[in-house]
C-alpha cells in the first residue's frame, strides 16, 4: 500500500484505509507484521506521502476458539470467500457473555480453520458484522488478500447493502434519505445515538408497503455505522419492530430483537473482480408477519 497523506498516525491511517480495527493494527505493528519502507515501525509514526506499507498477517490461530458444528446457511462459497445467511439470534464472534456458539465457531468448523487472520484470534475472516438479532447476508474472507480487498471496497462505499425492515407507525414519505451523524451515546456508552460529534451516517429508505400501524421498508446504507439503521429509524420516530435497545421492544407479535434483515449484497469478487449480487429471503417468522399484516388489510 502506498501512503497518500502525510502527518497521520500510521495505525489510524491503516485502520481507516483497510477497514481493520485500530487495536488489530496496533497488534500487528507490535509483532512487526507491518513494515514501513521495509522497516519495523511504531503506532505513533506519522505518515509521509509515498511511504510503502507492507502488511504481513500471521496465520489464524485456533487457540481459545473451538470449531463447532452448527447449522450454517451458505449462500455462496469459493476458495476465497464464503457468504452466509446469518440466522436471527446468532452472535457473529465470541465476546464477553458469548464465548461460543457463534458464527465464527461454526465457520471455523466449516472451513477447517482456513480463514483470514486479519481480525485476530477471535474474529478470523470477519470483514463486517451484523447485530445478533439482525438476520441476513455476511461476507467472510478465507484468506488475507480477499479480506483486504473486501475491506477496501467497504471503506470506499463500493459494497451495496440492502436491508428489509418492519418499523412502527406509518412512514409518510415514499422515499427519503436520513443524514445524521452517529456516535456513542453520552447517556449510555453501550448505545449509539445521533450526535453532532458523531461520524457521518447516511441511510436511504423506500416504502414497500404500509399497513394499519406499521411500514415495511427497503433500506440502503451508504455508511456502516454501528446500529445505523436502528438509530436512524428510532430518531425519526419509527423504530424497528422488536428493537429492545432503541425502543421498548414491546410488540403484538411477541418478537424479541429487531425485525431487520440484510437482504442483498452487491460487490466485486475480491480476487476475480466479477460482479456479485447475492440475496437472502426473509426468515420465515418475518415473512409470516408481513403476510398476516397484508391479510388484515383485506
Amino acid at each position: 500500500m502506498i501512503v497518500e497523506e502525510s502527518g497521520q498516525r500510521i495505525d489510524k491511517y491503516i485502520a481507516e484505509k483497510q477497514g481493520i480495527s485500530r487495536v488489530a493494527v496496533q497488534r500487528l505493528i507490535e509483532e512487526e507484521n507491518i513494515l514501513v519502507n521495509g522497516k519495523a515501525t511504531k503506532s505513533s509514526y506519522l505518515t509521509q506521502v509515498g511511504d510503502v506499507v507492507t502488511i504481513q498477517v500471521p496465520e489464524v490461530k485456533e487457540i481459545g476458539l473451538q470449531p463447532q458444528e452448527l447449522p450454517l446457511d451458505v449462500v455462496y462459497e469459493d476458495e476465497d470467500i464464503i457468504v452466509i445467511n446469518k440466522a436471527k439470534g446468532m452472535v457473529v464472534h465470541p465476546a464477553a457473555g458469548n464465548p461460543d456458539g457463534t458464527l465464527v465457531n461454526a465457520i471455523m468448523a466449516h472451513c477447517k480453520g482456513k480463514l483470514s487472520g486479519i481480525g485476530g484470534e477471535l474474529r478470523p475472516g470477519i470483514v463486517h458484522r451484523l447485530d445478533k438479532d439482525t438476520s441476513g447476508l455476511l461476507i467472510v474472507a478465507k484468506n488475507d488478500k480477499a479480506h483486504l480487498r473486501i475491506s477496501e471496497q467497504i471503506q470506499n462505499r463500493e459494497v451495496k447493502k440492502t436491508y428489509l425492515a418492519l418499523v412502527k407507525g406509518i412512514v409518510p414519505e415514499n422515499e427519503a434519505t436520513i443524514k445524521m451523524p452517529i456516535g456513542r451515546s453520552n447517556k449510555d456508552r453501550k448505545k449509539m445515538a445521533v450526535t453532532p460529534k458523531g461520524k457521518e451516517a447516511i441511510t436511504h429508505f423506500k416504502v414497500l408497503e404500509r399497513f394499519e400501524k406499521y411500514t415495511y421498508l427497503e433500506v440502503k446504507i451508504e455508511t456502516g455505522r454501528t446500529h445505523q439503521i436502528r438509530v436512524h429509524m428510532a430518531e425519526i420516530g419509527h423504530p424497528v419492530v422488536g428493537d429492545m435497545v432503541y425502543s421498548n421492544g414491546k410488540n403484538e407479535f411477541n418478537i424479541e430483537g429487531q425485525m431487520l434483515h440484510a437482504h442483498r449484497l452487491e460487490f466485486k469478487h475480491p480476487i476475480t473482480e466479477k460482479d456479485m449480487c447475492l440475496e437472502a429471503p426473509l426468515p420465515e417468522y418475518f415473512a409470516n408477519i408481513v403476510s398476516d399484516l397484508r391479510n388484515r388489510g383485506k
Side-chain angles (χ1 to χ4, degrees):
M1 179 173 70
I2 307 297
V3 172
E4 298 173 345
E5 300 174 40
S6 291
Q8 286 207 46
R9 279 180 59 109
I10 191 70
D11 57 348
K12 182 174 184 290
Y13 184 84
I14 293 173
E16 290 179 349
K17 291 295 182 182
Q18 298 296 342
I20 312 170
S21 77
R22 197 162 172 181
V23 171
V25 173
Q26 290 169 349
R27 184 175 62 248
L28 290 171
I29 289 174
E30 288 171 6
E31 295 170 352
E32 297 189 359
N33 284 314
I34 290 181
L35 306 178
V36 177
N37 301 323
K39 298 179 182 179
T41 187
K42 293 182 178 180
S43 296
S44 58
Y45 171 78
L46 298 181
T47 60
Q48 304 272 338
V49 172
D51 279 344
V52 177
V53 177
T54 305
I55 303 174
Q56 302 168 326
V57 182
E59 288 297 314
V60 62
K61 299 176 184 178
E62 293 188 22
I63 298 171
L65 182 65
Q66 296 299 318
Q68 292 176 296
E69 296 288 345
L70 301 170
L72 275 182
D73 183 358
V74 178
V75 175
Y76 175 86
E77 183 176 12
D78 60 26
E79 61 186 7
D80 301 300
I81 61 172
I82 179 170
V83 181
I84 304 295
N85 179 16
K86 187 187 83 66
K88 177 186 175 74
M90 179 177 255
V91 175
V92 171
H93 58 74
N98 294 288
D100 55 22
T102 72
L103 182 71
V104 163
N105 294 106
I107 289 174
M108 286 294 292
H110 181 86
C111 297
K112 311 302 181 187
K114 295 181 180 178
L115 295 166
S116 160
I118 288 175
E121 288 183 28
L122 297 182
R123 304 183 186 185
I126 300 302
V127 183
H128 63 117
R129 296 178 53 207
L130 289 176
D131 298 333
K132 174 185 175 182
D133 288 322
T134 298
S135 57
L137 296 174
L138 189 77
I139 306 170
V140 178
K142 289 187 174 183
N143 55 65
D144 300 333
K145 187 174 183 180
H147 192 132
L148 290 171
R149 288 189 174 180
I150 287 289
S151 294
E152 187 175 8
Q153 287 186 53
I154 291 172
Q155 187 71 25
N156 294 335
R157 302 183 183 179
E158 294 167 351
V159 176
K160 297 179 181 177
K161 303 176 184 178
T162 303
Y163 294 76
L164 298 173
L166 186 69
V167 301
K168 291 184 177 182
I170 309 299
V171 177
E173 304 90 349
N174 290 331
E175 296 184 39
T177 295
I178 306 169
K179 190 173 182 180
M180 300 177 184
I182 291 176
R184 286 283 166 195
S185 169
N186 292 325
K187 297 179 181 178
D188 183 347
R189 300 302 291 174
K190 294 180 181 179
K191 295 173 63 175
M192 308 302 288
V194 169
T195 171
K197 295 182 180 179
K199 293 183 178 180
E200 180 184 48
I202 303 172
T203 302
H204 308 280
F205 69 79
K206 178 172 70 174
V207 171
L208 297 178
E209 293 181 71
R210 291 184 179 91
F211 305 113
E212 186 180 352
K213 295 183 290 184
Y214 307 97
T215 307
Y216 184 33
L217 299 176
E218 178 186 84
V219 185
K220 296 184 178 182
I221 55 174
E222 280 192 37
T223 51
R225 307 303 171 208
T226 301
H227 301 170
Q228 178 174 321
I229 295 173
R230 298 164 62 191
V231 171
H232 272 171
M233 296 314 301
E235 184 70 18
I236 66 169
H238 297 285
V240 180
V241 172
D243 195 329
M244 302 175 74
V245 176
Y246 299 103
S247 72
N248 60 20
K250 293 180 180 179
N251 62 88
E252 62 179 291
F253 314 110
N254 295 318
I255 296 298
E256 292 187 7
Q258 63 277 2
M259 290 185 66
L260 183 62
H261 177 68
H263 171 60
R264 185 186 304 118
L265 277 176
E266 297 171 75
F267 60 99
K268 282 192 179 294
H269 190 282
I271 306 303
T272 67
E273 297 190 353
K274 175 185 175 183
D275 287 331
M276 308 287 291
C277 181
L278 302 173
E279 293 188 354
L282 279 178
E284 185 177 4
Y285 87 92
F286 199 148
N288 287 342
I289 288 173
V290 172
S291 179
D292 288 344
L293 289 171
R294 284 185 187 130
N295 290 333
R296 286 185 197 179
K298 296 177 183 177

